[in-house]
Amino acid sequence: MHARLSSGARGSAEGGAAAEGAGEPLRPAGLPRVLVTGGGGQLGHALSGVADAPGRDELDITDPASMSAALDRFSPEVVINAAAYTDVDGAEADEAGARAINTVGAEELAAACRERGIRMVHISTDYVFSGEIPGGGDPATAPALEPTDPTAPTTAYGRTKLAGERAVLASHPEATVIRTAWLYTGPQRESLGLSGSDFVATMVRLERERDTLNVVDDQWGSPTYTQALAGGLLEMLAAERAGRVDTRGLTLHGAGGGRATWWELAREVFSRYGADPDRVRPCRSDEFPRPAPRPAFSVLSDTSWQAAGLSPLPDWRADLTSAIAEHARVARGGGDR
């Protein structure tokens, strides 16, 4: 089982992961020195207990001087690039801005890491795919997407992220690309001061504010709890250092198990809080037009992840339970992590 970043957890995980004390996350034994870019985001925060996670004022991947200074100052053995322009709708009007971070910045970071002999893991997205259902069949049973499936992004965000994947691997052939999807921190997000959107947190808030709400039921994906992805990444790095796996040069899919529509996920959130899930009503995407079209189908297969020797991330329902339990723990005064 991969190491889970669980606040206050004690004990051990596979590979000799040892708890470092109450209030500290599990840290896999033998973990290399890790620097994560995008320290102000979800994944950066999730990794901050075991990695250096500077904010943009300390490490700006669009500024080569800032990047070089940070790499030299922190001297990491591994960089996880979680910095990204993630405003999907905003990117439609600002593709140049998205490209500066998602493509050019990622490429320059990869080159700087290669020059210094630093291992690099680059985080990408399900938006690199077209969103079409494989074979045009039933999305509930259609084959989940593999890293080898054709990419055909339909949004500026997706185009700049796909170009970033290619640029990273061209500049640093031993880098690893990890695509994930539907990433959320959960209802504790607001207390953590994280910016940006979070579907689960939004559903928790709207359950309190509205009698009913409409949620799209024609988009299928892989809900992924940030803490689970962070734990999976740490497992990968510790296992690599121990010589048990080697993901250099690979593109993998790291996402929550199973599949859901946004409507199904919203209903599950309501149920977990004791609310009537029938208050969540299904609707079509065309009832909520947005500047950037959302993929109708972006369920990611974890076959490549497991084939690399890594433990599968938990089913999304199990991780939703974990996210809500973490929120309850924080609400009880268990800490800010």
Side-chain angles (χ1 to χ4, degrees), residues 12-13 72 75 80-82 88 93 105 115 148 156 165 178 201-202 207 222 232 262 273 275 285 287 289 295 326:
S12 63
D72 294 340
S75 299
I80 298 175
N81 182 33
V88 177
E115 289 172 1
T148 53
E165 289 184 9
I178 306 291
T202 299
E207 187 280 322
S222 303
W262 292 115
Y273 279 89
S285 296
E287 296 179 56
E326 176 66 3

Side-chain angles (χ1 to χ4, degrees), residues 79 81 102 106 120-124 161 164-165 168 176-178:
V79 167
N81 182 33
N102 296 344
M120 181 172 172
V121 178
H122 178 68
I123 307 301
S124 192
K161 288 296 290 183
E165 289 184 9
V168 164
T176 301
V177 172
I178 306 291

Side-chain angles (χ1 to χ4, degrees), residues 110-197:
C113 286
R114 184 182 184 187
E115 289 172 1
R116 292 166 172 79
I118 299 171
R119 176 87 167 87
M120 181 172 172
V121 178
H122 178 68
I123 307 301
S124 192
T125 174
D126 57 316
Y127 275 77
V128 300
F129 294 106
S130 69
E132 295 182 2
I133 302 168
D138 182 352
T141 58
L145 296 165
E146 303 288 354
T148 53
D149 284 337
T151 52
T154 61
T155 64
Y157 170 66
R159 288 191 294 271
T160 59
K161 288 296 290 183
L162 179 59
E165 289 184 9
R166 293 170 173 170
V168 164
L169 290 173
S171 297
H172 195 337
E174 293 193 343
T176 301
V177 172
I178 306 291
R179 293 175 183 151
T180 193
W182 291 26
L183 201 63
Y184 70 90
T185 295
Q188 64 270 27
R189 183 187 183 100
E190 293 181 4
S191 66
L192 298 175
L194 298 177
S195 59
S197 61

Side-chain angles (χ1 to χ4, degrees), residues 40-57:
Q42 295 190 74
L43 188 57
H45 185 275
L47 290 166
S48 62
V50 292
D52 291 310
R56 191 170 182 180
D57 56 336

